[in-house]
Amino acid sequence: MSTTSLPPSLMATLPGEHYTDPQVFALEQKRVFESMWFCTVRAADLPKPGAFRTVQVGTESILITRARDNSIRAFYNVCRHRGARICTEDSGEVKRAFQCPYHAWTYDLEGKLIAAPNLTKMPDLDRVEYGLVNVAVREWLGYVWVCLADEPPSFEDTVLGEVRTRLGDVASLDNYDVANLALGRRIVYDVKANWKLIVENFMECYHCATIHPELTEVLPEFADGYAAQYYVGHGALFGEDIQGFTVDGSEGLDRIPTISEDQDRRYYAITIKPQVFVNMVPDHVIIHRMFPLAVDRTVVECDWLYLPEVVASGKDISRSVELFHRVNEQDFDACERTQPSMSSRTYAKGGVLVPSEHHIGMFHDWVRGKLGE
Amino acid sequence: MSTTSLPPSLMATLPGEHYTDPQVFALEQKRVFESMWFCTVRAADLPKPGAFRTVQVGTESILITRARDNSIRAFYNVCRHRGARICTEDSGEVKRAFQCPYHAWTYDLEGKLIAAPNLTKMPDLDRVEYGLVNVAVREWLGYVWVCLADEPPSFEDTVLGEVRTRLGDVASLDNYDVANLALGRRIVYDVKANWKLIVENFMECYHCATIHPELTEVLPEFADGYAAQYYVGHGALFGEDIQGFTVDGSEGLDRIPTISEDQDRRYYAITIKPQVFVNMVPDHVIIHRMFPLAVDRTVVECDWLYLPEVVASGKDISRSVELFHRVNEQDFDACERTQPSMSSRTYAKGGVLVPSEHHIGMFHDWVRGKLGE
Amino acid sequence: MSTTSLPPSLMATLPGEHYTDPQVFALEQKRVFESMWFCTVRAADLPKPGAFRTVQVGTESILITRARDNSIRAFYNVCRHRGARICTEDSGEVKRAFQCPYHAWTYDLEGKLIAAPNLTKMPDLDRVEYGLVNVAVREWLGYVWVCLADEPPSFEDTVLGEVRTRLGDVASLDNYDVANLALGRRIVYDVKANWKLIVENFMECYHCATIHPELTEVLPEFADGYAAQYYVGHGALFGEDIQGFTVDGSEGLDRIPTISEDQDRRYYAITIKPQVFVNMVPDHVIIHRMFPLAVDRTVVECDWLYLPEVVASGKDISRSVELFHRVNEQDFDACERTQPSMSSRTYAKGGVLVPSEHHIGMFHDWVRGKLGE
């Protein structure tokens, strides 16, 4: 099982401990999730100033809200006084300020400290310096991306760079106008597997013929084992008899009018490292956000986005949602049955990648780089 | 957030890891809870010889009982033969001896080994040396205090010293005759927070106006944010319209006749490090005992003690109990919402103490000293 | 409590940390359970080719099956491709091959890789080298014993050696024809104690008078505290009024015809380190297999084996089973009340062994040897 003796058809994966060692995960939290741009919530979930959401980014609880000027802000969800959580709910709404429920230190929607008991007797206490600690924010695709790094990497180079690598350009994705689509359905999956197993699963289609009967019916070329992501710019073509990207191949919803003719009747997928998957079909876009919570547990939130008029009309989207919901369940089951073997001595040097999976090796190189290996 | 740049109004707290690191907690168990006098059970809960209670002190299970001469004894709850727990119940009663249920090694109420199968064939086995391992015991305030140290520190200097530091003398506490009060109510709280957060919370009243509406109604000066414990000897005065220390300010129970006139209509509080709080009002005394079980979990047993005739009469104490029961719930909620932030990078160097909290810094210095920092 | 000062009657046990430290347990998993012959399943539980069972051996999931030639095979339950568990069920049956449910890599019942998507395009991939990883197998007493060591120790010297040490020869055990007995009852116990406490408990009878009233009724000499295992070749004699090895001393089942006259009306017990106990009485054999899952948790599977005609006849075996089932429950209760004390400072240097337990010291020496102490 030594990697040096592998036949040319095979490449080694990461060693098993990368999927089981809490110290590796702790390092990933610092160097990956708390250092890179991380996709948190849908901006539309913050409909007005004072609406807020709290999310876990790496080891940190982050408070995301909309300020009075309608811009989105993100803060560490930690009072600057004695550390109490400012908000303990997943979501909610305040009128004009966040007040810590312990000692009533009060921060405006921009995070500035505006009131506290006896604050006037502490004139040496700067209201901005002792405001909530800011986190960098970017809105894109209708989502709020945050970065906990002191000096965030370039969003253009990293996040958009992933899109260019996959599609050849960002314009191809812009065609789908994702920011202006509406949420048709959101399903949350609690997966008992390391986040990297989920990424690897999403990156290859060698498993498609085995576990995704509905998907390969819609996208016949997937039965060959080559994922759309294998070829730059390629989208998998719908089968001849397929009317739409639905669980039974029946007609889908209204087509997004701004996509190109080339993009019709095709499925495209993009992995935006470390935690986002984008899936585009003519009538909707599916976005996965992963929240890695432990070395062997990852919560995945999956959004199905449609034209606003489709969602407003109340049209039946159930067969449309059902296709990828089944794909998700099939994939996460596979990841969960893989996780326990990662600690086996037979996996100490990792498993193997077949030719149609070799591109996963680039993901492994990227992980190793982040870990400083 | 560096401590050197704090404005004069602020002092730094302990760094966050002091509240989250299991190794810090393990050290505290050894150097604090297993080295200092630790308040365990109420002596009256052992009504006669052979009655016993088992309690967790640091990492150890301790067996506390009343011997034939009515004195109280404490032992490690571990058979000297193969280590089985002597008693697994929280409380109970034996007639004349403790018999290990594994191999029937039998110890009298003073801990001496008095019987075992084939013991007569082992004449070289000393009955005292192979008796239950003794733990130092002191009775005070009607409670059994134990010390697991090989050489216990002076009870006078440490436990009574805390009272002197707070009240100026011990006599002021003696006035309440706590040992002879009767238990009116006991409530046990399972708090998901580090024990030091609970101590810090008890030591300051900067939070009182925010989270304790009923208490500040009864003790108006608490609304200013200064805890009774801030001034030596000071007790907080009841509000003018307040008839008693009850949830609605209505009349309390019969006054303890031995308190001084100065002590009437006042609330006093003492923190006896590391795990006891004493609260005195004219008609009752409230005692908190903390049992720290994990770095993020502390069980708190709270006793409401009244004149024996009050308890015997069956008088309604519910409004009396309800006031501090609400205070407890309000405080422990605050501690529980603070605990999760202790691991945040924004708390890596700790939070800040405002002027009315600066005395908590002495507690932090004391903790650092115990940890050898 | 220092070991040097023990009176001659007493010997020290292992220090408490041997029963509580996860690192000691991890070392035991590697050097004991994954290095020695380990008894897994009853061969009769694999009635035909393709029937399989999965078991935990040390840290590994092992897949045990019957091949087409009726021989029994064992493999790591890990796909050679990307590591998914081949079988997640405890037991089941395949027709002719094991197919990994993730990417459909397919292995025959001998473990050889026989099919996979695009396998023909990977001619450099050897079907045997990339077959399931084999584990050494031996059948004995009707059980499947496996060894995960690269070079398994001699079965004769280790497993059979234990029998010789205890009985003087292996023939005495052969008399019971255990391989051809039939399973009358299987009971699984989930014991919250370290595996070594269970071994020590089984090795001594000093506790018998205290916790096993039914057993000492049947075997009066056990009331003296000396286990059958104390003397080479000795079997404990049934009491005079005892008709059979049953909970009430009533008549047992049909006697195994091949046992010697000496073996009639006697109980013999063998500890086969590290995880098997064999109990022989004239009409049945009881086999315990331990599966240590954590430093403080051990699953014990106990089989009651009778003559096939007894099991086939449907005769009432309940009083027969009930005797040792009660013994098991009594013993495991004792182990569970001992486990928590292993972390006490009073057990830091261990407990003590009385003369009738001194032979347990050999077990402790053996453990220390395995741990390299």
Side-chain angles (χ1 to χ4, degrees), chain B residues 72 110 127 141 188 243 251 294:
Chain B
I72 287 178
E110 289 77 37
R127 311 295 181 92
L141 298 184
V188 180
Q243 293 179 278
E251 206 181 347

Side-chain angles (χ1 to χ4, degrees), chain B residues 96-98 105-109 111-116 119 127:
Chain B
R96 293 189 313 180
F98 292 101
W105 280 36
T106 305
Y107 306 90
D108 69 17
L109 300 181
K112 188 180 160 191
L113 178 64
I114 53 172
L119 184 58
R127 311 295 181 92

Side-chain angles (χ1 to χ4, degrees), chain B residues 163-175:
Chain B
V163 178
R164 271 182 220 105
T165 299
R166 165 68 188 95
L167 297 182
D169 58 45
V170 178
S172 303
L173 173 55
D174 290 342
N175 288 351

Side-chain angles (χ1 to χ4, degrees), chain A residues 243-291:
Chain A
Q243 294 179 279
F245 195 77
T246 59
V247 72
D248 54 3
S250 61
E251 205 180 347
L253 284 304
D254 298 353
R255 192 176 129 185
I256 298 167
T258 42
I259 65 168
S260 71
E261 255 180 66
D262 281 359
Q263 293 174 319
D264 197 14
R265 295 184 60 77
R266 284 186 186 272
Y267 164 83
Y268 296 85
I270 313 172
T271 303
I272 299 178
K273 292 190 294 286
Q275 45 91 242
V276 176
F277 307 147
V278 180
N279 309 266
M280 298 117 75
V281 287
D283 61 333
H284 64 288
V285 171
I286 303 164
I287 309 247
H288 297 78
R289 284 162 292 142
M290 293 198 292
F291 295 85

Side-chain angles (χ1 to χ4, degrees), chain A residues 1 5-10 13 197 200-201 204 206-208 210-211 224-226 331 334-335 337-338 340-347 350-357 360, chain C residues 30 34-35 59-60 76-89 99-105 116-119 121-126 129-130 133 148-150:
Chain A
M1 274 173 282
S5 68
L6 285 182
S9 291
L10 302 181
T13 71
L197 291 178
E200 294 161 12
N201 169 277
E204 54 92 358
Y206 185 54
H207 66 270
C208 290
T210 308
I211 70 175
D224 296 337
Y226 281 82
D331 281 336
C335 293
R337 83 182 290 148
T338 300
S341 292
M342 297 297 99
S343 60
S344 172
R345 62 163 68 171
T346 63
Y347 214 80
V352 294
L353 302 173
V354 302
S356 60
E357 299 171 318
I360 295 176
Chain C
K30 291 294 165 214
E34 298 174 16
S35 295
T59 61
E60 299 286 350
Y76 288 86
N77 185 14
V78 177
C79 181
R80 294 302 305 282
H81 171 222
R82 298 260 301 281
R85 282 267 182 277
I86 300 295
C87 299
T88 52
E89 311 81 9
Q99 187 175 71
C100 176
Y102 195 172
H103 301 85
W105 280 36
N118 304 329
L119 184 58
K121 294 177 189 163
M122 299 178 263
D124 55 351
L125 200 154
D126 184 88
E129 197 185 336
Y130 284 90
V133 179
L148 276 53
D150 292 332

Side-chain angles (χ1 to χ4, degrees), chain C residues 237-348:
Chain C
L237 203 56
F238 291 5
E240 281 187 18
D241 300 335
I242 296 301
Q243 295 180 277
F245 194 78
T246 58
V247 72
D248 54 4
S250 62
E251 204 181 348
L253 287 303
D254 298 353
R255 190 175 130 186
I256 298 166
T258 43
I259 65 169
S260 71
E261 258 182 63
D262 281 0
Q263 293 174 318
D264 197 14
R265 294 184 61 75
R266 283 187 186 272
Y267 164 84
Y268 296 85
I270 314 171
T271 303
I272 300 178
K273 292 190 294 287
Q275 47 90 242
V276 176
F277 308 147
V278 181
N279 309 267
M280 296 117 76
V281 288
D283 61 334
H284 64 288
V285 172
I286 303 164
I287 309 245
H288 297 77
R289 286 163 290 142
M290 291 197 294
F291 296 85
L293 299 185
V295 71
D296 56 0
R297 184 179 169 216
T298 308
V299 165
V300 185
E301 287 198 32
C302 187
D303 289 350
W304 281 257
L305 303 168
Y306 298 86
L307 286 173
E309 50 268 33
V310 167
V311 174
S313 72
K315 279 186 183 168
D316 181 10
I317 59 171
S318 60
R319 284 170 306 172
S320 174
V321 168
E322 182 67 12
L323 175 52
F324 225 89
H325 172 53
R326 285 198 197 174
V327 170
N328 284 339
E329 291 196 316
Q330 292 153 351
D331 281 337
F332 301 154
D333 278 356
C335 293
E336 289 187 344
R337 81 182 292 145
T338 301
Q339 179 67 32
S341 293
M342 297 297 100
S343 60
S344 172
R345 61 162 69 170
T346 63
Y347 214 80

